[in-house]
Coordinates of all heavy atoms in Angstrom, one line a residue:
V243 N -82.9 57.0 147.0 CA -84.1 56.4 146.4 C -83.9 54.9 146.0 O -84.9 54.3 145.8 CB -84.6 57.3 145.2 CG1 -85.0 58.5 145.5 CG2 -83.5 57.3 144.1
T244 N -82.7 54.4 146.1 CA -82.6 53.0 145.8 C -81.5 52.4 146.8 O -80.7 53.1 147.3 CB -82.1 52.7 144.4 OG1 -80.8 53.2 144.3 CG2 -83.0 53.3 143.5
K245 N -81.7 51.2 146.9 CA -80.8 50.5 148.0 C -79.4 50.4 147.4 O -78.4 50.5 148.2 CB -81.3 49.0 148.2 CG -80.6 48.3 149.4 CD -81.1 47.0 149.7 CE -82.5 47.1 150.4 NZ -83.0 45.8 151.0
S246 N -79.3 50.4 146.2 CA -77.9 50.4 145.5 C -77.1 51.6 145.8 O -75.8 51.6 145.9 CB -78.0 50.1 144.1 OG -78.5 51.2 143.4
Q247 N -77.7 52.7 146.1 CA -77.0 54.0 146.4 C -76.2 53.9 147.7 O -75.4 54.8 147.9 CB -78.0 55.1 146.5 CG -78.6 55.5 145.1 CD -79.7 56.6 145.2 OE1 -80.5 56.6 146.1 NE2 -79.6 57.5 144.2
L248 N -76.6 52.9 148.6 CA -75.8 52.8 149.8 C -74.3 52.6 149.5 O -73.5 53.0 150.2 CB -76.4 51.7 150.6 CG -77.7 51.8 151.4 CD1 -77.9 50.5 152.2 CD2 -77.4 52.9 152.4
S249 N -74.1 51.9 148.5 CA -72.7 51.7 148.0 C -72.2 52.7 147.0 O -71.1 53.0 146.9 CB -72.4 50.3 147.6 OG -73.4 49.9 146.6
M250 N -73.1 53.0 146.1 CA -72.8 53.8 144.9 C -72.4 55.2 145.4 O -71.3 55.7 144.9 CB -73.9 53.8 143.9 CG -73.5 54.6 142.7 SD -73.7 56.5 142.7 CE -75.6 56.6 142.7
I251 N -73.2 55.9 146.3 CA -72.8 57.3 146.5 C -71.5 57.4 147.4 O -70.7 58.2 147.0 CB -74.0 57.8 147.4 CG1 -75.2 58.1 146.3 CG2 -73.6 59.2 148.2 CD1 -76.5 58.6 147.1
P252 N -71.3 56.6 148.4 CA -69.9 56.7 149.0 C -68.8 56.3 148.0 O -67.7 57.0 148.2 CB -70.1 55.6 150.1 CG -71.6 55.4 150.5 CD -72.2 55.6 149.1
H253 N -69.0 55.5 147.1 CA -68.0 55.1 146.2 C -67.6 56.2 145.1 O -66.6 56.6 145.0 CB -68.3 53.8 145.5 CG -67.4 53.5 144.2 ND1 -66.0 53.0 144.6 CD2 -67.4 53.5 143.0 CE1 -65.3 52.8 143.4 NE2 -66.4 53.2 142.5
R254 N -68.7 56.7 144.6 CA -68.6 57.7 143.5 C -68.3 59.0 144.0 O -67.5 59.9 143.4 CB -69.9 57.7 142.6 CG -69.7 58.6 141.4 CD -70.8 58.5 140.5 NE -70.8 59.5 139.5 CZ -71.8 59.7 138.6 NH1 -72.9 59.0 138.6 NH2 -71.7 60.4 137.5
F255 N -68.9 59.5 145.1 CA -68.8 60.9 145.6 C -68.1 61.1 147.0 O -67.9 62.1 147.4 CB -70.3 61.5 145.8 CG -71.1 61.4 144.5 CD1 -72.0 60.4 144.3 CD2 -70.9 62.5 143.5 CE1 -72.8 60.5 143.1 CE2 -71.6 62.4 142.4 CZ -72.5 61.6 142.2
K256 N -67.7 59.9 147.6 CA -67.0 60.0 148.8 C -67.7 60.7 149.9 O -67.2 61.5 150.6 CB -65.5 60.6 148.6 CG -64.8 59.9 147.6 CD -64.5 58.4 147.9 CE -63.5 57.8 146.9 NZ -64.2 57.4 145.6
V257 N -69.0 60.4 149.9 CA -70.0 61.0 150.9 C -70.4 59.9 151.9 O -70.8 58.7 151.5 CB -71.2 61.6 150.3 CG1 -72.3 61.9 151.1 CG2 -70.8 62.7 149.4
D258 N -70.3 60.2 153.2 CA -70.8 59.2 154.3 C -72.2 59.3 154.4 O -72.9 60.2 154.2 CB -70.0 59.6 155.6 CG -68.7 59.2 155.6 OD1 -68.1 58.5 154.8 OD2 -67.9 59.9 156.5
I259 N -72.7 58.0 154.7 CA -74.2 58.0 155.0 C -74.3 57.5 156.4 O -73.7 56.6 156.8 CB -74.8 56.9 154.1 CG1 -74.8 57.3 152.6 CG2 -76.4 56.7 154.5 CD1 -75.2 56.3 151.6
P260 N -75.2 58.3 157.2 CA -75.2 58.0 158.6 C -75.7 56.7 158.9 O -76.6 56.2 158.1 CB -76.3 59.0 159.1 CG -76.1 60.2 158.0 CD -75.9 59.6 156.8
N261 N -75.3 56.1 160.0 CA -75.6 54.6 160.3 C -77.0 54.5 160.4 O -77.7 53.3 159.9 CB -74.8 54.1 161.4 CG -74.7 52.6 161.5 OD1 -74.5 51.9 160.6 ND2 -75.1 52.1 162.7
D262 N -77.8 55.2 161.0 CA -79.1 55.1 161.2 C -79.9 55.1 159.9 O -80.9 54.3 159.7 CB -79.8 56.3 161.9 CG -79.4 56.3 163.5 OD1 -78.9 55.3 164.0 OD2 -79.6 57.3 164.1
L263 N -79.5 55.8 158.8 CA -80.1 55.7 157.6 C -79.7 54.5 156.9 O -80.6 53.8 156.3 CB -79.6 57.0 156.7 CG -80.2 57.1 155.3 CD1 -81.6 57.0 155.4 CD2 -79.7 58.3 154.7
V264 N -78.5 54.1 157.0 CA -78.1 52.9 156.3 C -78.9 51.7 156.9 O -79.3 50.8 156.2 CB -76.5 52.7 156.8 CG1 -76.1 51.1 156.3 CG2 -75.6 53.6 156.1
I265 N -79.0 51.6 158.2 CA -79.8 50.5 158.8 C -81.3 50.4 158.3 O -81.6 49.3 157.9 CB -79.7 50.6 160.4 CG1 -78.4 50.3 160.9 CG2 -80.8 49.6 161.0 CD1 -78.2 50.6 162.3
E266 N -81.9 51.6 158.1 CA -83.2 51.6 157.8 C -83.4 51.2 156.4 O -84.2 50.4 155.9 CB -83.9 53.1 158.0 CG -84.2 53.5 159.3 CD -85.2 52.5 160.0 OE1 -86.3 52.4 159.4 OE2 -84.9 52.0 161.1
V267 N -82.5 51.6 155.5 CA -82.4 51.3 154.1 C -82.1 49.9 153.9 O -82.7 49.2 153.1 CB -81.5 52.3 153.3 CG1 -81.3 51.7 151.9 CG2 -81.9 53.6 153.2
A268 N -81.1 49.4 154.6 CA -80.6 48.0 154.4 C -81.7 46.9 154.8 O -81.8 45.9 154.2 CB -79.4 47.7 155.2
K269 N -82.6 47.3 155.8 CA -83.5 46.3 156.1 C -84.9 46.4 155.4 O -85.9 45.7 155.5 CB -83.9 46.4 157.5 CG -84.6 47.6 158.1 CD -84.7 47.6 159.6 CE -85.5 48.9 160.0 NZ -85.6 48.9 161.5
S270 N -85.0 47.4 154.5 CA -86.2 47.7 153.7 C -86.4 46.6 152.7 O -85.4 46.0 152.1 CB -86.2 49.0 153.1 OG -85.0 49.3 152.4
K271 N -87.6 46.3 152.4 CA -87.8 45.0 151.4 C -87.7 45.4 149.9 O -87.3 44.5 149.1 CB -89.1 44.4 151.6 CG -90.3 45.5 151.3 CD -91.7 44.7 151.6 CE -92.8 45.6 151.3 NZ -94.1 45.1 151.6
D272 N -87.9 46.6 149.4 CA -87.7 47.1 148.1 C -87.4 48.5 147.9 O -87.4 49.4 149.0 CB -89.0 46.6 147.3 CG -90.2 47.2 147.9 OD1 -90.1 48.3 148.5 OD2 -91.3 46.5 147.9
N273 N -87.1 48.9 146.7 CA -86.8 50.2 146.4 C -87.9 51.3 146.7 O -87.8 52.4 147.0 CB -86.3 50.6 145.1 CG -84.9 50.0 145.0 OD1 -84.2 49.9 145.9 ND2 -84.4 49.6 143.6
K274 N -89.1 50.7 146.7 CA -90.4 51.7 147.0 C -90.2 52.0 148.5 O -90.5 53.1 148.9 CB -91.6 50.8 146.7 CG -92.8 51.7 147.0 CD -94.2 51.0 146.7 CE -95.3 51.8 147.0 NZ -96.7 51.1 146.6
A275 N -89.9 51.1 149.2 CA -89.7 51.4 150.8 C -88.5 52.4 150.9 O -88.7 53.2 151.8 CB -89.6 50.1 151.6
V276 N -87.4 52.1 150.2 CA -86.1 52.9 150.3 C -86.5 54.4 150.0 O -86.1 55.3 150.5 CB -85.1 52.3 149.4 CG1 -83.9 53.4 149.3 CG2 -84.7 51.0 149.7
K277 N -87.3 54.6 148.9 CA -87.7 56.0 148.6 C -88.5 56.6 149.6 O -88.1 57.8 149.8 CB -88.4 55.9 147.2 CG -88.9 57.2 146.6 CD -89.5 57.2 145.3 CE -90.9 56.8 145.3 NZ -91.5 56.9 144.0
E278 N -89.3 56.0 150.3 CA -90.0 56.6 151.4 C -89.2 57.1 152.5 O -89.2 58.1 153.1 CB -91.3 55.7 151.8 CG -92.2 55.4 150.8 CD -92.9 56.6 150.4 OE1 -93.3 57.5 151.1 OE2 -93.1 56.8 149.0
I279 N -88.3 56.1 152.8 CA -87.3 56.4 153.9 C -86.4 57.6 153.6 O -86.2 58.5 154.3 CB -86.4 55.1 154.1 CG1 -87.2 54.0 154.8 CG2 -85.2 55.5 155.1 CD1 -86.4 52.8 154.7
G280 N -85.8 57.6 152.3 CA -85.1 58.6 151.8 C -85.8 60.0 151.8 O -85.2 61.0 152.2
I281 N -87.0 60.0 151.2 CA -87.8 61.2 151.3 C -88.0 61.8 152.7 O -87.9 62.9 153.0 CB -89.2 61.1 150.7 CG1 -88.9 60.9 149.1 CG2 -90.1 62.1 151.0 CD1 -90.3 60.5 148.5
E282 N -88.4 61.0 153.6 CA -88.5 61.4 155.1 C -87.3 61.9 155.7 O -87.3 62.8 156.4 CB -89.1 60.3 155.9 CG -89.5 60.7 157.3 CD -90.4 61.8 157.5 OE1 -91.3 62.0 156.6 OE2 -90.2 62.5 158.5
W283 N -86.1 61.2 155.4 CA -84.8 61.6 155.9 C -84.5 63.1 155.5 O -84.1 64.0 156.1 CB -83.7 60.7 155.5 CG -82.4 60.9 156.2 CD1 -81.4 61.8 155.6 CD2 -81.9 60.4 157.4 NE1 -80.4 61.9 156.5 CE2 -80.6 61.0 157.5 CE3 -82.3 59.4 158.2 CZ2 -79.8 60.6 158.6 CZ3 -81.5 59.1 159.4 CH2 -80.3 59.7 159.6
C284 N -84.7 63.3 154.0 CA -84.5 64.6 153.4 C -85.4 65.6 154.0 O -85.0 66.9 154.3 CB -84.6 64.5 152.0 SG -83.9 65.8 151.0
I285 N -86.6 65.3 154.4 CA -87.6 66.3 154.9 C -87.1 66.7 156.2 O -87.0 67.9 156.5 CB -89.0 65.7 155.1 CG1 -89.7 65.5 153.6 CG2 -89.9 66.6 156.0 CD1 -91.0 64.8 153.7
Q286 N -86.5 65.8 157.0 CA -86.0 66.2 158.4 C -84.8 66.9 158.3 O -84.5 67.9 159.0 CB -85.9 64.9 159.3 CG -87.2 64.2 159.4 CD -88.3 65.1 160.1 OE1 -88.0 65.8 161.0 NE2 -89.4 64.8 159.6
Q287 N -83.9 66.5 157.4 CA -82.7 67.3 157.0 C -83.1 68.8 156.7 O -82.5 69.8 157.2 CB -81.9 66.7 155.8 CG -80.9 65.7 156.2 CD -80.0 65.5 155.0 OE1 -80.4 64.7 154.2 NE2 -78.9 66.1 154.9
S288 N -84.1 69.0 155.8 CA -84.4 70.2 155.3 C -85.1 71.2 156.4 O -84.7 72.3 156.5 CB -85.4 70.2 154.1 OG -84.9 69.3 153.0

Side-chain angles (χ1 to χ4, degrees):
V243 293
T244 65
K245 191 172 287 191
S246 64
Q247 289 176 324
L248 282 183
S249 56
M250 186 275 287
I251 287 176
H253 172 73
R254 184 174 177 186
F255 300 101
K256 302 299 184 283
V257 171
D258 287 340
I259 300 176
N261 196 47
D262 288 349
L263 179 56
V264 172
I265 291 170
E266 287 299 308
V267 170
K269 71 182 183 183
S270 54
K271 61 181 182 180
D272 54 31
N273 283 336
K274 183 177 178 181
V276 173
K277 183 168 77 170
E278 294 304 314
I279 293 166
I281 288 172
E282 182 56 32
W283 187 276
C284 194
I285 287 171
Q286 297 309 315
Q287 270 193 276
S288 300

